[in-house]
Amino acid sequence: EDKVVQSPLSLVVHEGDTVTLNCSYEVTNFRSLLWYKQEKKAPTFLFMLTSSGIEKKSGRLSSILDKKELFSILNITATQTGDSAVYLCVRDTSGTYKYIFGTGTRLKVLA
Amino acid sequence: DVKVTQSSRYLVKRTGEKVFLECVQDMDHENMFWYRQDPGLGLRLIYFSYDVKMKEKGDIPEGYSVSREKKERFSLILESASTNQTSMYLCASSLNRDQPQHFGDGTRLSIL
């Protein structure tokens, strides 16, 4: 089945901790894998990964894709309460406009 | 910055009503999408449009229709609203197939 599986489902950490969110998928025929952050409303775009092994970085967030092992990780260092959100991993589908969404990891950062 | 605007944040309608959800983007994007988001089910694609007047069914089109008369506007229509259409509805747009989708803030629709 064509699924995107995220782990853990939820996570509670304290400010300053480093977290790693995992995303695994089942097919190899796709162009890109994306990460979004969803707080109370719209998912906001974080990263688009198209090449294996190349880390993308934005401030305290970074992400990498491993196309051989079929997974991606999202790292957040020195977490802050504002990082509390659901993080969505999304895979596009080659030849179509469709996205396959994971069900997300709910992160809560305590002060 | 990309701006995707949905006309209502919250909407309450009655069973059997015809409901219109509006979405406007200001970045001249080719593609526009309508999703619904439900707990435990994630985001599911209802319809999308890759050009003006062009539309394609997503994974759950039953009970919905769409309209794209102008490039910047994509409307979702619930022909005869039912209680199982109570959900969060998210609109998104993308420049093309190789660029990420950007989402509006969502419309939380309740059908009573």
Side-chain angles (χ1 to χ4, degrees):
Chain A
E1 191 182 338
D2 189 4
K3 286 201 296 190
V4 174
V5 178
Q6 292 187 245
S7 64
L9 290 180
S10 66
L11 190 56
V12 180
V13 300
H14 288 91
E15 270 192 322
D17 287 351
T18 293
V19 298
T20 297
L21 308 184
N22 303 294
C23 174
S24 63
Y25 53 91
E26 297 176 343
V27 301
T28 57
N29 187 20
F30 68 99
R31 289 188 310 278
S32 55
L33 188 135
L34 304 95
W35 284 94
Y36 286 84
K37 175 184 181 183
Q38 187 173 22
E39 296 172 87
K40 295 198 179 200
K41 33 191 187 178
T44 53
F45 170 70
L46 296 175
F47 296 112
M48 174 183 259
L49 305 160
T50 54
S51 300
S52 197
I54 298 175
E55 184 183 53
K56 291 219 170 176
K57 201 168 168 65
S58 175
R60 297 176 293 103
L61 277 67
S62 63
S63 185
I64 197 162
L65 175 64
D66 186 327
K67 283 192 170 183
K68 184 179 173 188
E69 300 297 329
L70 308 184
F71 75 90
S72 174
I73 60 172
L74 175 69
N75 276 322
I76 309 174
T77 59
T79 51
Q80 302 171 356
T81 54
D83 295 326
S84 296
V86 174
Y87 290 84
L88 296 169
C89 177
V90 185
R91 181 182 63 74
D92 72 8
T93 52
S94 185
T96 80
Y97 294 87
K98 292 186 181 181
Y99 278 2
I100 308 295
F101 288 82
T103 50
T105 292
R106 184 176 295 277
L107 173 65
K108 188 170 177 66
V109 182
L110 303 175
Chain B
D1 267 1
V2 177
K3 184 71 176 173
V4 180
T5 303
Q6 294 185 231
S7 53
S8 306
R9 287 295 313 277
Y10 300 94
L11 205 54
V12 180
K13 296 290 182 181
R14 296 213 169 267
T15 303
E17 282 192 71
K18 191 167 186 175
V19 181
F20 293 86
L21 302 184
E22 305 287 345
C23 175
V24 176
Q25 50 90 7
D26 65 356
M27 288 301 291
D28 203 35
H29 282 180
E30 296 292 331
N31 309 317
M32 296 188 75
F33 306 82
W34 275 106
Y35 294 90
R36 61 179 285 178
Q37 186 174 28
D38 300 287
L41 297 175
L43 276 85
R44 292 179 291 168
L45 181 64
I46 304 171
Y47 267 97
F48 67 98
S49 168
Y50 51 89
D51 201 352
V52 175
K53 296 191 189 292
M54 305 303 289
K55 60 187 179 186
E56 291 234 2
K57 293 180 180 179
D59 298 316
I60 50 164
E62 297 79 19
Y64 304 94
S65 62
V66 290
S67 171
R68 193 164 180 205
E69 296 296 319
K70 293 185 178 181
K71 192 174 187 180
E72 67 270 18
R73 185 180 296 271
F74 192 35
S75 303
L76 180 70
I77 304 152
L78 285 65
E79 298 290 343
S80 176
S82 63
T83 54
N84 63 10
Q85 292 178 309
T86 292
S87 187
M88 169 70 92
Y89 288 87
L90 291 164
C91 175
S93 72
S94 68
L95 180 62
N96 54 48
R97 209 154 52 174
D98 297 324
Q99 296 299 314
Q101 294 178 25
H102 296 272
F103 288 83
D105 285 344
T107 295
R108 191 165 290 282
L109 174 65
S110 295
I111 307 296
L112 304 179

